[in-house]
Amino acid sequence: AVYRTSITKYHNRSYHLNGLIKEQLMVKGEDDNHVFNKLINIYQLKPTTGDFGLLNFSATPLPLTFDVGGTEGRKSAVPLLVKTVNYAFEGGKSPVINETRMFYQNYYGAITKVENIGNPATPSDDYVSEITYYKDSDLAGFGIKDKHIMVVPKSIKVTENNVTTIVYEDQVN
């Protein structure tokens, strides 16, 4: 007998989202109605600037139906994972919810902030990770761009309940 079944649903209608995980389920045996865990990924499509495919953050996000059926010709967009919601049904009907939000402010698509909301009903389990990156001028002379490395993290700061708990800073030398 099957003890657990893992079900993964993918985006498959849009060229830009094709193959990205939309939803994952862990169910009892083969019973789709008895869910143990459910993960939902929420994406946002951002247009590019036209200059080497860099993200255009000032532009309004595109609809997730952008270019379905090739209607946009050669226009391009970049999918960004902006939120995950995880439901754990720990043997009951009411799930424990864990929510994570990602923020991107780098035209290469690097994550600059992650908010782990934990259980939205319990603010005390929240934490925020903030990531800064070196400027291109800081990395001049190291040959980083020649190796197709677009961004290099400089620091990561984790704050929990408005108290900084972890700080990592790198030194380029």
Side-chain angles (χ1 to χ4, degrees):
V2 176
Y3 184 66
R4 297 272 190 276
T5 301
S6 177
I7 301 167
T8 303
K9 298 178 182 179
Y10 297 90
H11 283 279
N12 63 4
R13 294 188 60 221
S14 161
Y15 170 79
H16 300 290
L17 295 170
N18 192 33
L20 296 177
I21 295 174
K22 186 178 194 176
E23 180 178 287
Q24 289 181 311
L25 300 167
M26 178 68 70
V27 299
K28 180 178 181 179
E30 297 177 14
D31 181 3
D32 292 359
N33 294 316
H34 192 149
V35 177
F36 289 109
N37 291 309
K38 179 178 182 179
L39 173 73
I40 298 173
N41 289 329
I42 298 169
Y43 297 90
Q44 189 178 79
L45 276 179
K46 281 290 201 170
T48 59
T49 63
D51 300 332
F52 310 108
L54 301 176
L55 292 177
N56 183 352
F57 277 97
S58 61
T60 303
L62 300 166
L64 296 181
T65 56
F66 177 76
D67 203 30
V68 170
T71 57
E72 299 297 328
R74 296 189 53 86
K75 293 183 182 174
S76 62
V78 176
L80 300 172
L81 178 64
V82 293
K83 184 175 172 182
T84 63
V85 182
N86 192 359
Y87 300 89
F89 292 91
E90 315 243 341
K93 298 264 185 222
S94 298
V96 174
I97 302 170
N98 183 336
E99 188 174 301
T100 304
R101 297 181 188 143
M102 281 67 75
F103 297 87
Y104 304 80
Q105 295 178 341
N106 179 294
Y107 53 85
Y108 292 119
I111 295 174
T112 56
K113 184 177 182 181
V114 177
E115 291 180 349
N116 187 311
I117 308 301
N119 184 343
T122 312
S124 62
D125 69 352
D126 300 354
Y127 65 89
V128 176
S129 301
E130 295 178 273
I131 305 162
T132 62
Y133 296 89
Y134 283 104
K135 296 176 186 166
D136 289 346
S137 60
D138 295 336
L139 300 171
F142 288 98
I144 299 290
K145 298 292 183 183
D146 299 338
K147 296 179 177 133
H148 304 290
I149 298 172
M150 299 290 105
V151 293
V152 177
K154 182 176 184 178
S155 69
I156 300 172
K157 178 175 82 171
V158 180
T159 305
E160 183 177 6
N161 296 320
N162 295 321
V163 176
T164 300
T165 57
I166 300 171
V167 175
Y168 168 79
E169 292 188 54
D170 184 41
Q171 302 288 325
V172 172
N173 50 22

